[in-house]
Amino acid sequence: MSGRLAVVGLGPGDARWLTPEAEAALAAAEALFGYAPYLDRVPPRAGQRRHPSDNRQEIDRAREALHLAAAGRNVALVSGGDPGVFAMGAAVCEAIEQGPDAWRALDIRFLPGVTAMLAVAARVGAPLGHDFCALSLSDNLKSWETIERRLDAAASAGFVLALYNPISRARPWQLGKAFEQLRRHLPAATPVVFGRAVGRADERVMIATLGEADRIAADMATLVIVGSAATRLVARPDRAPLVYTPRTGDAGS
Ligand code: SAH
Protein backbone atom coordinates (compact mmCIF):
# COMPACT_ATOMS: atom_id res chain seq x y z
CA MET A 1 0.00 0.00 0.00
CA SER A 2 1.33 3.44 -0.82
CA GLY A 3 1.05 6.23 1.71
CA ARG A 4 -0.20 9.73 1.22
CA LEU A 5 0.12 13.18 2.65
CA ALA A 6 -2.60 15.81 2.97
CA VAL A 7 -1.40 19.36 3.72
CA VAL A 8 -4.49 20.71 5.42
CA GLY A 9 -5.65 24.29 6.01
CA LEU A 10 -7.61 24.62 9.26
CA GLY A 11 -8.87 28.17 8.65
CA PRO A 12 -8.40 31.01 11.18
CA GLY A 13 -9.96 29.25 14.16
CA ASP A 14 -13.74 28.98 14.01
CA ALA A 15 -14.71 25.33 13.38
CA ARG A 16 -17.41 26.51 10.96
CA TRP A 17 -14.64 27.82 8.71
CA LEU A 18 -13.08 24.36 8.31
CA THR A 19 -13.99 22.95 4.90
CA PRO A 20 -15.75 19.56 4.71
CA GLU A 21 -12.81 18.34 2.58
CA ALA A 22 -10.31 19.27 5.32
CA GLU A 23 -12.49 17.72 8.01
CA ALA A 24 -12.66 14.43 6.09
CA ALA A 25 -8.88 14.34 5.58
CA LEU A 26 -8.27 14.93 9.32
CA ALA A 27 -10.69 12.16 10.23
CA ALA A 28 -9.07 9.69 7.82
CA ALA A 29 -5.44 10.37 8.83
CA GLU A 30 -3.46 7.80 10.82
CA ALA A 31 -0.91 10.41 11.89
CA LEU A 32 -1.20 14.17 12.38
CA PHE A 33 1.69 16.62 12.27
CA GLY A 34 1.66 20.35 13.04
CA TYR A 35 2.42 23.24 15.33
CA ALA A 36 0.99 22.21 18.73
CA PRO A 37 -1.71 24.94 19.09
CA TYR A 38 -3.07 24.06 15.64
CA LEU A 39 -3.14 20.33 16.42
CA ASP A 40 -5.10 21.16 19.58
CA ARG A 41 -7.90 22.43 17.36
CA VAL A 42 -8.37 18.98 15.77
CA PRO A 43 -10.80 16.78 17.73
CA PRO A 44 -9.06 13.68 19.14
CA ARG A 45 -9.67 10.37 17.43
CA ALA A 46 -8.85 6.86 18.66
CA GLY A 47 -5.94 5.17 16.90
CA GLN A 48 -4.56 8.43 15.51
CA ARG A 49 -0.99 9.45 16.42
CA ARG A 50 -0.15 13.10 16.98
CA HIS A 51 3.26 14.66 16.39
CA PRO A 52 3.15 18.22 17.75
CA SER A 53 6.12 20.50 17.13
CA ASP A 54 7.08 24.05 17.89
CA ASN A 55 6.75 26.92 15.47
CA ARG A 56 10.34 27.05 14.28
CA GLN A 57 10.88 23.56 12.88
CA GLU A 58 8.80 23.81 9.72
CA ILE A 59 11.14 22.04 7.33
CA ASP A 60 11.93 19.23 9.82
CA ARG A 61 8.22 18.77 10.44
CA ALA A 62 7.61 18.54 6.68
CA ARG A 63 10.38 15.92 6.35
CA GLU A 64 9.02 13.79 9.20
CA ALA A 65 5.55 13.83 7.67
CA LEU A 66 7.00 12.87 4.26
CA HIS A 67 9.03 10.02 5.81
CA LEU A 68 5.96 8.53 7.40
CA ALA A 69 3.88 8.90 4.22
CA ALA A 70 6.70 7.23 2.25
CA ALA A 71 6.54 4.34 4.75
CA GLY A 72 2.94 3.75 3.67
CA ARG A 73 0.92 5.76 6.19
CA ASN A 74 -1.96 8.13 5.64
CA VAL A 75 -0.58 11.39 7.06
CA ALA A 76 -2.06 14.87 7.54
CA LEU A 77 0.06 17.96 8.16
CA VAL A 78 -1.96 20.91 9.44
CA SER A 79 -1.56 24.67 9.01
CA GLY A 80 -3.61 27.59 10.34
CA GLY A 81 -5.56 29.43 7.65
CA ASP A 82 -4.50 28.26 4.21
CA PRO A 83 -1.42 26.02 3.96
CA GLY A 84 -0.19 27.86 0.89
CA VAL A 85 -0.13 31.32 2.51
CA PHE A 86 3.05 31.91 4.58
CA ALA A 87 2.74 28.35 5.91
CA MET A 88 3.59 24.65 5.59
CA GLY A 89 2.70 24.21 1.91
CA ALA A 90 5.93 25.80 0.67
CA ALA A 91 7.98 23.95 3.35
CA VAL A 92 6.61 20.64 2.03
CA CYS A 93 7.47 21.56 -1.57
CA GLU A 94 10.98 22.62 -0.49
CA ALA A 95 11.51 19.34 1.39
CA ILE A 96 10.42 17.37 -1.68
CA GLU A 97 12.64 19.43 -3.99
CA GLN A 98 15.67 18.68 -1.79
CA GLY A 99 14.66 15.17 -0.69
CA PRO A 100 14.90 11.62 -2.04
CA ASP A 101 13.30 10.84 -5.42
CA ALA A 102 10.75 8.56 -3.74
CA TRP A 103 9.04 11.62 -2.23
CA ARG A 104 8.23 12.95 -5.70
CA ALA A 105 6.18 9.81 -6.38
CA LEU A 106 4.00 10.25 -3.28
CA ASP A 107 0.30 11.08 -3.38
CA ILE A 108 0.31 14.62 -1.95
CA ARG A 109 -2.70 16.91 -1.69
CA PHE A 110 -2.94 20.52 -0.61
CA LEU A 111 -6.34 21.28 0.91
CA PRO A 112 -7.13 25.00 0.98
CA GLY A 113 -8.43 26.89 4.00
CA VAL A 114 -9.81 30.34 4.75
CA THR A 115 -6.75 32.55 5.05
CA ALA A 116 -6.59 35.23 7.77
CA MET A 117 -6.91 38.23 5.43
CA LEU A 118 -10.24 36.94 4.11
CA ALA A 119 -11.60 36.33 7.61
CA VAL A 120 -10.52 39.80 8.82
CA ALA A 121 -11.87 41.49 5.68
CA ALA A 122 -15.22 39.73 6.11
CA ARG A 123 -15.59 41.17 9.62
CA VAL A 124 -15.61 44.78 8.38
CA GLY A 125 -17.04 44.75 4.85
CA ALA A 126 -14.97 44.51 1.68
CA PRO A 127 -11.58 46.20 2.12
CA LEU A 128 -10.10 43.76 -0.41
CA GLY A 129 -12.85 44.59 -2.93
CA HIS A 130 -10.32 45.86 -5.47
CA ASP A 131 -6.65 45.11 -6.26
CA PHE A 132 -4.63 44.09 -3.20
CA CYS A 133 -1.49 42.26 -2.21
CA ALA A 134 -0.36 40.23 0.79
CA LEU A 135 2.97 40.74 2.51
CA SER A 136 4.60 39.09 5.50
CA LEU A 137 6.41 41.60 7.71
CA SER A 138 8.65 38.89 9.11
CA ASP A 139 12.29 39.50 8.29
CA ASN A 140 13.33 36.04 9.49
CA LEU A 141 13.44 34.65 5.95
CA LYS A 142 14.04 37.83 3.91
CA SER A 143 15.75 41.15 4.54
CA TRP A 144 14.02 44.24 5.93
CA GLU A 145 15.27 46.19 2.84
CA THR A 146 13.23 43.86 0.63
CA ILE A 147 10.15 44.40 2.79
CA GLU A 148 10.51 48.19 2.59
CA ARG A 149 10.93 48.02 -1.18
CA ARG A 150 7.78 45.93 -1.50
CA LEU A 151 5.79 48.24 0.80
CA ASP A 152 6.85 51.23 -1.33
CA ALA A 153 6.00 49.47 -4.58
CA ALA A 154 2.62 48.19 -3.42
CA ALA A 155 1.44 51.40 -1.76
CA SER A 156 2.60 53.63 -4.61
CA ALA A 157 0.83 51.39 -7.13
CA GLY A 158 -2.51 51.74 -5.33
CA PHE A 159 -2.78 48.23 -3.84
CA VAL A 160 -4.58 47.59 -0.56
CA LEU A 161 -2.12 45.71 1.70
CA ALA A 162 -2.75 42.69 3.91
CA LEU A 163 0.12 42.48 6.41
CA TYR A 164 0.75 39.04 7.91
CA ASN A 165 3.17 38.45 10.82
CA PRO A 166 3.11 42.17 11.75
CA ILE A 167 4.94 41.85 15.05
CA SER A 168 6.45 39.40 17.54
CA ARG A 169 8.60 39.54 20.66
CA ALA A 170 11.71 39.20 18.49
CA ARG A 171 10.42 41.75 15.95
CA PRO A 172 8.96 44.65 17.98
CA TRP A 173 9.62 47.65 15.66
CA GLN A 174 8.77 46.40 12.18
CA LEU A 175 5.08 47.32 12.13
CA GLY A 176 5.72 50.92 13.26
CA LYS A 177 8.41 51.25 10.61
CA ALA A 178 6.04 49.87 7.98
CA PHE A 179 3.36 52.45 8.91
CA GLU A 180 5.97 55.21 8.70
CA GLN A 181 6.98 53.98 5.24
CA LEU A 182 3.36 53.78 4.06
CA ARG A 183 2.59 57.34 5.27
CA ARG A 184 4.96 58.58 2.56
CA HIS A 185 2.52 57.31 -0.07
CA LEU A 186 -0.90 57.42 1.58
CA PRO A 187 -3.03 60.08 3.31
CA ALA A 188 -3.24 60.01 7.14
CA ALA A 189 -6.99 59.30 6.83
CA THR A 190 -6.42 55.96 5.01
CA PRO A 191 -8.42 53.26 6.85
CA VAL A 192 -6.44 50.56 8.67
CA VAL A 193 -8.11 47.41 10.02
CA PHE A 194 -6.59 45.39 12.87
CA GLY A 195 -8.07 41.89 13.14
CA ARG A 196 -6.81 39.86 16.10
CA ALA A 197 -7.53 36.14 16.63
CA VAL A 198 -10.48 36.36 14.26
CA GLY A 199 -12.80 33.36 14.61
CA ARG A 200 -11.52 32.57 18.12
CA ALA A 201 -12.90 33.36 21.58
CA ASP A 202 -10.50 36.29 22.08
CA GLU A 203 -11.24 37.95 18.72
CA ARG A 204 -10.85 41.74 18.53
CA VAL A 205 -11.34 43.89 15.46
CA MET A 206 -10.46 47.60 15.37
CA ILE A 207 -10.75 50.21 12.64
CA ALA A 208 -8.26 53.10 12.74
CA THR A 209 -6.55 55.49 10.33
CA LEU A 210 -2.99 55.31 9.09
CA GLY A 211 -2.26 58.55 11.00
CA GLU A 212 -3.23 56.99 14.35
CA ALA A 213 -2.31 53.37 13.59
CA ASP A 214 0.71 53.39 15.93
CA ARG A 215 -1.60 53.75 18.91
CA ILE A 216 -3.33 50.41 18.28
CA ALA A 217 -1.74 47.37 19.90
CA ALA A 218 -1.00 44.45 17.58
CA ASP A 219 0.52 41.05 18.30
CA MET A 220 1.42 37.79 16.57
CA ALA A 221 -2.25 36.85 16.18
CA THR A 222 -3.11 40.10 14.38
CA LEU A 223 -3.55 40.68 10.68
CA VAL A 224 -3.43 44.32 9.52
CA ILE A 225 -5.17 45.59 6.39
CA VAL A 226 -3.99 48.99 5.16
CA GLY A 227 -6.34 50.56 2.63
CA SER A 228 -5.43 52.30 -0.61
CA ALA A 229 -6.25 55.95 -1.30
CA ALA A 230 -9.64 54.72 -2.57
CA THR A 231 -10.61 52.71 0.55
CA ARG A 232 -13.41 54.36 2.54
CA LEU A 233 -15.85 54.00 5.43
CA VAL A 234 -19.64 53.84 5.25
CA ALA A 235 -21.16 55.12 8.51
CA ARG A 236 -24.15 53.20 9.93
CA PRO A 237 -26.46 54.00 12.86
CA ASP A 238 -25.60 51.97 16.01
CA ARG A 239 -23.22 49.71 14.08
CA ALA A 240 -19.56 49.76 13.20
CA PRO A 241 -18.87 51.40 9.84
CA LEU A 242 -18.33 49.28 6.76
CA VAL A 243 -14.84 49.46 5.27
CA TYR A 244 -14.66 48.92 1.54
CA THR A 245 -12.56 49.50 -1.54
CA PRO A 246 -14.69 50.34 -4.58
CA ARG A 247 -14.34 48.08 -7.59
CA THR A 248 -13.86 50.97 -10.00
CA GLY A 249 -11.42 53.84 -10.26
CA ASP A 250 -7.71 54.55 -10.44
CA ALA A 251 -7.30 56.39 -7.13
CA GLY A 252 -3.82 56.09 -5.67
CA SER A 253 -2.18 54.46 -8.66
N1 SAH B 1 -1.37 30.26 6.83
C1 SAH B 1 -1.94 31.33 7.64
C2 SAH B 1 -0.94 32.45 7.88
C3 SAH B 1 0.27 32.05 8.69
S1 SAH B 1 1.30 33.43 9.06
C4 SAH B 1 -3.20 31.85 6.94
O1 SAH B 1 -3.44 31.50 5.78
O2 SAH B 1 -3.93 32.60 7.58
C5 SAH B 1 0.71 33.86 10.68
C6 SAH B 1 -0.01 35.20 10.63
O3 SAH B 1 -1.32 35.03 10.10
C7 SAH B 1 -0.22 35.87 11.99
O4 SAH B 1 0.93 36.58 12.42
C8 SAH B 1 -1.38 36.80 11.67
O5 SAH B 1 -0.90 37.93 10.95
C9 SAH B 1 -2.21 35.96 10.70
N2 SAH B 1 -3.30 35.21 11.36
C10 SAH B 1 -3.41 33.87 11.47
N3 SAH B 1 -4.57 33.53 12.08
C11 SAH B 1 -5.22 34.70 12.34
C12 SAH B 1 -6.49 35.02 12.95
N4 SAH B 1 -7.32 34.06 13.40
N5 SAH B 1 -6.83 36.33 13.04
C13 SAH B 1 -6.01 37.30 12.57
N6 SAH B 1 -4.82 37.05 11.98
C14 SAH B 1 -4.42 35.77 11.88
Side-chain angles (χ1 to χ4, degrees), residues 43-155:
R45 228 184 148 81
Q48 197 171 55
R49 287 211 54 171
R50 282 164 185 255
H51 304 265
S53 48
D54 82 30
N55 210 5
R56 300 238 153 211
Q57 318 152 340
E58 293 191 336
I59 195 85
D60 294 339
R61 190 191 309 158
R63 289 197 184 108
E64 282 173 43
L66 284 158
H67 267 300
L68 205 57
R73 313 307 281 269
N74 182 352
V75 179
L77 173 55
V78 304
S79 249
D82 182 274
V85 179
F86 307 123
M88 288 306 300
V92 169
C93 294
E94 190 183 330
I96 293 170
E97 189 177 35
Q98 299 166 354
D101 283 347
W103 288 358
R104 298 187 183 221
L106 278 171
D107 176 356
I108 299 178
R109 275 160 224 204
F110 299 85
L111 312 188
V114 176
T115 188
M117 67 177 175
L118 302 185
V120 172
R123 285 293 194 242
V124 298
L128 307 179
H130 197 49
D131 299 340
F132 65 90
C133 70
L135 219 103
S136 169
L137 284 195
S138 170
D139 53 358
N140 291 338
L141 301 172
K142 63 186 170 194
S143 70
W144 181 252
E145 292 68 45
T146 295
I147 295 171
E148 281 197 351
R149 209 163 8 91
R150 289 181 185 167
L151 287 168
D152 282 339

Side-chain angles (χ1 to χ4, degrees), residues 124-127 191 207 230-246:
V124 298
I207 300 168
T231 305
R232 61 187 84 169
L233 264 54
V234 182
R236 301 190 294 169
D238 303 323
R239 291 179 193 277
L242 297 173
V243 183
Y244 91 108
T245 307

Side-chain angles (χ1 to χ4, degrees), residues 11-13 38 41 79-88 113-117 119-120 163-167 171 195-200 219-224:
Y38 295 147
R41 284 202 222 152
S79 249
D82 182 274
V85 179
F86 307 123
M88 288 306 300
V114 176
T115 188
M117 67 177 175
V120 172
L163 303 177
Y164 285 76
N165 296 310
I167 210 157
R171 295 181 293 103
R196 182 184 180 277
V198 167
R200 302 182 211 147
D219 64 10
M220 268 172 71
T222 307
L223 178 115
V224 181

Side-chain angles (χ1 to χ4, degrees), residues 4-5 38 75 105 114 120 162 181 184 204 209 213 235 239:
R4 57 194 160 118
L5 174 63
Y38 295 147
V75 179
V114 176
V120 172
Q181 196 80 8
R184 296 184 193 170
R204 198 174 62 231
T209 63
R239 291 179 193 277

